[in-house]
Amino acid sequence: MHDSDREHEQSLLAAAALGSLDPTDLAAFEQVLASSPAARSEFEQLREVVALLPYAAPPVTPPDHVRTRLMERIAADQAAQAPPRQTRSSRRISTGWVTPLILVGLTLVITLLGSLTLSLQQQVIALNETNQQLLAAVNNLQAAVNASEERQSQMTAQLATYEQQLARLNDQVAQERLLVSFVSAPGVATRELLPTRADVTARGEMYMYPGETQAVVVFSGLPALEPDRVYRFWLSDGTQRIAAGSFQVDATGLATLMVTAPREVNAYTEVMLTVEPATGTAPGDVEVILTGTL
């Protein structure tokens, strides 16, 4: 690099550090910084030196007239920057327009709020009425369900009663058919059971087949007993007695007993009907009212 180029470069750096670089030299200055790291370092050093220059001069007290002119200039600048003051007449005119507008706005808001409040109240009333109607409908439905359940319970109980009656009728029909077939069959033998006392009006008739273990006994004229007493039918062979069934009678005094003996019925020599407690016996509690021989 020639000395003239070096001097030109230093002058560019110095002018840039002092802030007095001519705009026409700006491109040349930027080219110097871009192409030379040493120039960039020198430029930074020059900037630091320039920043210290104000502290190198001795302090000087300015004259009074300079201070006065400076304060006047500051006051003038502040007055120029302050917003224009609003006159009393303009404020009065503005207030005169704003107040009616505010009142009108408030009136509209109050009217709107009143309308909304009335609408909400009407909706609440309508909802309450609908709620009451729904509650009434639910109560009616619940009452109908309860009534239906009660009727169903009654019908179930009645059906159970009918089923029990039907079962008893079926048993009765079966017994009557068996009795008819048993009594009307050829070869059947008949034995009569007679009262043991003169005041007893009951009678009994026994139908059996020689060599068979089954027999049918038909009773009539038997008085109804207390709930804790029963009629009991016995088979005896002279050495022991065997209970062959127990029963009660209703007001008709009729009863039919199907007997199944441990061995052939004709192997026994005597039959009898007693009145005794339904559960357990004690001496004197058993009364023989009918007897018969086989």
Side-chain angles (χ1 to χ4, degrees):
M1 178 182 295
H2 297 89
D3 293 338
S4 59
D5 294 335
R6 176 61 181 166
E7 291 177 358
H8 179 66
E9 179 180 310
Q10 289 180 346
S11 63
L12 289 175
L13 295 175
L18 292 172
S20 60
L21 185 65
D22 190 276
T24 58
D25 296 329
L26 180 60
F29 168 73
E30 292 177 352
Q31 184 177 2
V32 169
L33 291 182
S35 61
S36 175
R40 289 195 297 272
S41 176
E42 185 178 355
F43 175 69
E44 293 297 331
Q45 293 176 1
L46 290 174
R47 289 183 61 186
E48 293 176 359
V49 172
V50 171
L52 295 175
L53 288 177
Y55 301 99
V60 177
T61 302
D64 293 338
H65 69 277
V66 174
R67 177 181 177 83
T68 301
R69 290 177 58 187
L70 179 61
M71 297 303 295
E72 291 176 354
R73 185 173 180 179
I74 292 173
D77 292 341
Q78 291 179 349
Q81 295 177 0
R85 297 180 61 186
Q86 190 175 13
T87 61
R88 184 177 301 177
S89 60
S90 63
R91 288 199 301 269
R92 186 180 300 114
I93 294 174
S94 176
T95 303
W97 281 100
V98 170
T99 301
L101 290 176
I102 293 175
L103 293 177
V104 171
L106 290 176
T107 303
L108 292 176
V109 170
I110 292 172
T111 303
L112 179 60
L113 290 176
S115 300
L116 291 176
T117 302
L118 180 60
S119 177
L120 289 176
Q121 290 177 349
Q122 293 175 350
Q123 292 179 7
V124 169
I125 293 173
L127 288 175
N128 287 333
E129 293 177 353
T130 303
N131 189 28
Q132 294 297 327
Q133 293 174 358
L134 289 176
L135 288 177
V138 170
N139 292 333
N140 293 335
L141 181 60
Q142 186 63 44
V145 170
N146 293 337
S148 177
E149 291 178 350
E150 184 177 358
R151 287 195 299 270
Q152 183 178 1
S153 178
Q154 293 175 355
M155 293 178 64
T156 301
Q158 189 174 7
L159 179 61
T161 302
Y162 289 158
E163 289 178 349
Q164 293 176 357
Q165 294 176 355
L166 181 60
R168 288 195 296 268
L169 289 174
N170 289 333
D171 292 341
Q172 184 176 354
V173 169
Q175 290 179 359
E176 290 178 354
R177 287 179 178 176
L178 179 61
L179 175 61
V180 170
S181 63
F182 199 95
V183 172
S184 61
V188 65
T190 305
R191 297 293 185 269
E192 189 176 10
L193 281 76
L194 299 176
T196 58
R197 300 195 319 265
D199 60 339
V200 177
T201 59
R203 294 289 187 276
E205 194 167 5
M206 182 175 177
Y207 301 88
M208 63 179 185
Y209 289 97
E212 297 291 336
T213 59
Q214 287 187 327
V216 174
V217 186
V218 179
F219 299 96
S220 62
L222 293 173
L225 301 176
E226 297 295 330
D228 59 343
R229 299 182 71 81
V230 295
Y231 291 105
R232 184 163 283 122
F233 185 75
W234 297 87
L235 296 170
S236 175
D237 60 0
T239 59
Q240 64 176 350
R241 294 194 309 175
I242 298 175
S246 59
F247 59 92
Q248 286 187 332
V249 297
D250 55 16
T252 62
L254 301 176
T256 301
L257 180 65
M258 187 71 184
V259 177
T260 301
R263 53 181 176 164
E264 296 85 353
V265 177
N266 58 312
Y268 298 93
T269 59
E270 184 182 11
V271 294
M272 63 189 70
L273 183 68
T274 62
V275 177
E276 54 188 86
T279 57
T281 58
D285 287 343
V286 179
E287 178 186 3
V288 179
I289 61 172
L290 296 177
T291 61
T293 58
L294 302 181

